[in-house]
Each structure stands twice: as structure tokens, then as C-alpha cells.
């Protein structure tokens, strides 16, 4: 149900439906946590958000499927920054996409712009997804 909702939102946008769908999925909070480098996988990013370790625009959130907007800021909660889960991140090199401005020592990030075609993984056949859901 949730994925169909994402497809229907993407179909209403003026972009190519497949690209719009992937951009919407790229903007999910759990994916942004992963892309910022705060987690090792998207599943782990989803769990980090679900356990309430993330603050979005100053408020604690537990919904991984929140869609970020340009200007949204998210960070790891102050209580959780000293956790073993995040202690190695502060030494790690920043390899985040250009649509995210990440501050690894502070464990915070901001969505500076919408992701473009280059920021999305190319291994996904979006045309097949669109064909399946357009029926």
C-alpha cells in the first residue's frame, strides 16, 4: 500500500514517473540517514529512526518514511551521540551525496536541494516498476 502511494505521487509529478519515484524514495528519512553515513545500511537507518534516535527540525521522530523537504535538518539525538553505534562515525570520511550537507563530527545533516538523476542508484530498473504499477 505504501509503495503504491509513492508511485501515485510520482505519477502526478511533471518528471518522468520512474525518476520521480526514485527521487521520492531517496528523500525518505531512513534513506537520508543511510546516505549521510550515520548507518551502515538502509535497514539500519530505518531502525535508528524507528528507535527514536533522530531529531528532525528539532523534534524527535520515529517514522522512517517521512519525506524530507529542502531545508530540513536532521541529527542524532544528544543522548545517543555517545553510543558505541556512532563513536566511529566521527573519524570517518564524509562521502554523502551533493544534495545533503553533512557534519559528521556533530552527527547532523541538512537537505540542501532535491536529489537529481546522478544521486540515485543506477542499478534499479525504474521502468519495470512503472510498468508493473501502471496496470
Amino acid at each position: 500500500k505504501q509503495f503504491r502511494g509513492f508511485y501515485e505521487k510520482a505519477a502526478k509529478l511533471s518528471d518522468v514517473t520512474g525518476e520521480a519515484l526514485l527521487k521520492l524514495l531517496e528523500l525518505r528519512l531512513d534513506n537520508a540517514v543511510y546516505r549521510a553515513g550515520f548507518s551502515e545500511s538502509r535497514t539500519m537507518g530505518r531502525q535508528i529512526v524507528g528507535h527514536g534516535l533522530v531529531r528532525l527540525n528539532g523534534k524527535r521522530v520515529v517514522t522512517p518514511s517521512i519525506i524530507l523537504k529542502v531545508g530540513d535538518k536532521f541529527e542524532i539525538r544528544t543522548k545517543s551521540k555517545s553510543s558505541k553505534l556512532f563513536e566511529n562515525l566521527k573519524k570517518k570520511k564524509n562521502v554523502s551525496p551533493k544534495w545533503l550537507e553533512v557534519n559528521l563530527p556533530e552527527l547532523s545533516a541538512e537537505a540542501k536541494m532535491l536529489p537529481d538523476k546522478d544521486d540515485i542508484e543506477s542499478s534499479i530498473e525504474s521502468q519495470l516498476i512503472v510498468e508493473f504499477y501502471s496496470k
Side-chain angles (χ1 to χ4, degrees):
K1 280 184 174 183
Q2 191 175 32
F3 194 80
R4 175 155 303 274
F6 278 112
Y7 169 77
E8 289 171 2
K9 280 182 189 176
K12 291 178 185 175
L13 297 174
S14 60
D15 293 346
V16 175
T17 304
E19 286 179 25
L21 176 65
L22 294 177
K23 286 179 186 178
L24 279 174
L25 294 173
E26 186 75 11
L27 287 168
R28 284 175 52 114
L29 181 58
D30 55 350
N31 183 65
V33 167
Y34 165 70
R35 299 286 265 161
F38 301 162
S39 69
E40 296 173 13
S41 67
R42 286 182 175 89
T43 307
M44 187 176 173
R46 181 175 179 83
Q47 190 171 24
I48 287 170
V49 176
H51 283 288
L53 305 182
V54 176
R55 294 172 58 90
L56 176 63
N57 297 327
K59 294 184 179 181
R60 181 175 175 241
V61 292
V62 294
T63 309
S65 62
I66 293 173
I67 301 293
L68 295 177
K69 297 174 202 67
V70 174
D72 279 352
K73 297 177 183 178
F74 62 94
E75 63 183 351
I76 302 300
R77 290 179 55 209
T78 309
K79 284 182 177 181
S80 305
K81 286 182 181 179
S82 60
S83 168
K84 288 183 181 180
L85 186 63
F86 303 113
E87 69 184 17
N88 293 334
L89 291 180
K90 296 175 183 175
K91 302 169 197 159
K92 194 172 151 185
K93 185 181 174 199
N94 186 359
V95 291
S96 62
K98 63 185 176 198
W99 64 274
L100 274 178
E101 184 178 297
V102 179
N103 184 346
L104 275 178
E106 293 293 319
L107 294 176
S108 64
E110 180 179 355
K112 283 294 187 185
M113 63 178 134
L114 295 175
D116 59 10
K117 200 175 190 179
D118 301 332
D119 296 324
I120 299 169
E121 289 185 29
S122 60
S123 63
I124 300 171
E125 293 287 336
S126 61
Q127 186 58 36
L128 296 175
I129 297 169
V130 171
E131 287 176 15
F132 179 79
Y133 278 96
S134 64
K135 295 177 183 181

